[in-house]
Amino acid sequence: MILLARHGETADNRERRFQGQGPVGLNATGREQAQSLARTVLARPLLPVALYASPLARAQETAAVVGAALGLTPQPDARFAETDTGDWTGVLMDDVAREDPDGWAAYHRGGEEFRFPGGESLREQMDRVIDGLVDVTQARRLPALVVCHRGVIRVALCHTQNRGLDVFHDIEVPNGSVIEL
């Protein structure tokens, strides 16, 4: 079994700003969510025996809190990084919607064809995430926990549930939440 957990909240989450692969740390709420996530994971009947994390600051910070509670050291894996949002990194979502309405509409349609301007496509992200999850499975250190990002969890679920990337935006993944694959 693999568990996927979303990092705690950041100031950019609260401001509705595209973070992409930027160096954004947790805010106070996010640190509280990391502590809550650790308690949630500790309450599970089967504890993770391996811990992986995106190398991005917000995921590393969350993974460090959870890892300390579990007695595990997070193993960074770039395949679990958030989507490279390219030119939209650091930009408010409301500004993208106003300044690039066609791009904003394409983003909300999702699907195989969508690519962030100057960044990564959802398909490219899904391919690297699934490659990482296959390696986690083949390492045979299960259950495993991967601390990552909303986009990572969304593409993983689109793939594992065989629903396609058209439902990318239909999947709710709150900060500090954990789901079981």
Side-chain angles (χ1 to χ4, degrees), residues 36-91:
S36 178
L37 175 63
R39 289 189 297 275
T40 298
V41 172
L42 282 171
R44 294 185 61 84
L46 290 174
L47 295 180
V49 298
L51 176 59
Y52 301 86
S54 158
L56 302 179
R58 55 200 184 267
Q60 284 292 306
E61 195 174 342
T62 303
V65 170
V66 176
L70 292 170
L72 297 173
T73 301
Q75 299 175 47
D77 190 323
R79 294 173 294 184
F80 300 125
E82 183 59 287
T83 318
D84 177 357
T85 55
D87 300 342
W88 291 0
T89 302
V91 179

Side-chain angles (χ1 to χ4, degrees), residues 8-14 25-33 61:
E9 184 183 83
T10 69
D12 284 1
N13 290 139
R14 184 159 293 201
L26 300 179
N27 63 17
T29 299
R31 288 187 287 280
E32 290 171 10
Q33 290 169 334
E61 195 174 342

Side-chain angles (χ1 to χ4, degrees), residues 17-170:
R17 185 179 300 276
F18 283 100
Q19 297 174 96
Q21 296 182 354
V24 181
L26 300 179
N27 63 17
T29 299
R31 288 187 287 280
E32 290 171 10
Q33 290 169 334
Q35 293 291 337
S36 178
L37 175 63
R39 289 189 297 275
T40 298
V41 172
L42 282 171
R44 294 185 61 84
L46 290 174
L47 295 180
V49 298
L51 176 59
Y52 301 86
S54 158
L56 302 179
R58 55 200 184 267
Q60 284 292 306
E61 195 174 342
T62 303
V65 170
V66 176
L70 292 170
L72 297 173
T73 301
Q75 299 175 47
D77 190 323
R79 294 173 294 184
F80 300 125
E82 183 59 287
T83 318
D84 177 357
T85 55
D87 300 342
W88 291 0
T89 302
V91 179
L92 292 170
M93 293 180 186
D94 289 343
D95 290 346
V96 171
R98 184 180 57 257
E99 296 167 14
D100 184 4
D102 292 339
W104 183 250
Y107 168 66
H108 278 282
R109 281 191 304 276
E112 296 276 335
E113 301 80 33
F114 179 74
R115 172 182 296 280
F116 284 93
E120 186 175 31
S121 74
L122 295 180
R123 181 65 200 198
E124 289 166 335
Q125 182 186 23
M126 183 167 60
D127 289 346
R128 70 173 162 79
V129 167
I130 298 308
D131 184 55
L133 292 173
V134 167
D135 284 353
V136 168
T137 302
Q138 290 177 346
R140 300 193 190 287
R141 294 183 60 228
L142 300 172
L145 174 64
V146 178
V147 178
C148 52
H149 309 271
R150 177 174 59 186
V152 171
I153 295 171
R154 283 175 165 176
V155 297
L157 291 173
C158 286
H159 177 81
T160 60
Q161 295 174 352
N162 201 27
R163 296 171 60 195
L165 290 167
D166 293 338
V167 300
F168 179 84
H169 289 285
D170 297 342

